[in-house]
Amino acid sequence: MIEKVRNIAKKHVLEAINIRKHLHAHPELSFQEYETSKYIQSVLKKHDIPFTTGHVENGIIATIKGKNPDTKEILLRADLDALPITEDNNVEYKSKNEGVMHACGHDFHSASLIGTALILNELKEDYNGTIKFVSTWRGKTSRRCKINDRRWTS
């Protein structure tokens, strides 16, 4: 099984790197992640991973059902939002949004979450249960909002 996971990961590593670079270059502040959400949705669609949207504004919940999907459920989460900081780095994927930057690592977290979803989507016949992948904004208030969001379990 480990070798199978390695092979699938190798297949998706460049895409995960490019996702991270795209997210880094196009940061958006909390509750303004409209383009970020659209981009992640496009990646999920490309890989036929079902998802729902509109959770706490721009949040996405992708769902992958393995064998016996009702036996257990796991939820993995990453933040979407960036910080109001001007990026001084000189890299090809430097922020294109003046005064906004992924200085907190949320671009990496989101790319890692998507990469994990790509791998687990290909392994869904090898595990029992359902895995949900949640992309939303950060902060203590977000947890409270998500708990109160009736669509959280959809």
Side-chain angles (χ1 to χ4, degrees):
M1 177 59 109
I2 291 173
E3 195 58 36
K4 187 173 184 179
V5 171
R6 280 190 185 126
N7 289 333
I8 295 169
K10 285 178 188 175
K11 184 168 92 172
H12 294 294
V13 69
L14 288 179
E15 183 172 11
I17 290 169
N18 288 330
I19 290 168
R20 188 263 171 175
K21 287 180 178 180
H22 176 89
L23 294 174
H24 190 89
H26 302 90
E28 296 175 295
L29 299 173
S30 293
F31 290 115
Q32 298 174 24
E33 310 96 333
Y34 298 105
E35 297 306 314
T36 302
S37 183
K38 287 179 191 174
Y39 176 75
I40 291 172
Q41 291 172 48
S42 73
V43 174
L44 295 171
K45 283 179 189 173
K46 174 182 163 187
H47 292 280
D48 296 318
I49 298 174
F51 61 90
T52 57
T53 61
H55 303 279
V56 192
E57 198 70 28
N58 299 311
I60 304 163
I61 299 176
T63 303
I64 299 175
K65 295 183 178 188
K67 297 183 304 183
N68 305 308
D70 296 328
T71 56
K72 58 186 162 187
E73 186 173 280
I74 298 171
L75 185 140
L76 304 173
R77 180 184 176 277
D79 299 320
L80 294 175
D81 60 339
L83 297 171
I85 297 173
T86 299
E87 182 166 15
D88 291 332
N89 298 323
N90 189 17
V91 291
E92 66 185 57
Y93 50 91
K94 180 179 177 175
S95 174
K96 296 180 184 338
N97 298 337
E98 187 63 36
V100 183
M101 176 187 178
H102 274 294
C104 49
H106 291 172
D107 52 337
F108 178 79
H109 296 158
S110 291
S112 297
L113 183 73
I114 296 166
T116 300
L118 299 181
I119 294 167
L120 291 174
N121 192 46
E122 291 195 34
L123 293 170
K124 62 187 167 193
E125 297 304 319
D126 296 326
Y127 61 83
N128 289 309
T130 297
I131 304 174
K132 291 190 177 187
F133 301 84
V134 177
S135 298
T136 190
W137 60 282
R138 67 161 170 79
K140 291 180 184 175
T141 308
S142 71
R143 286 190 292 274
R144 213 172 16 255
C145 290
K146 284 181 251 171
I147 290 167
N148 292 328
D149 185 342
R150 294 172 202 244
R151 295 166 295 176
W152 183 246
T153 58
S154 62

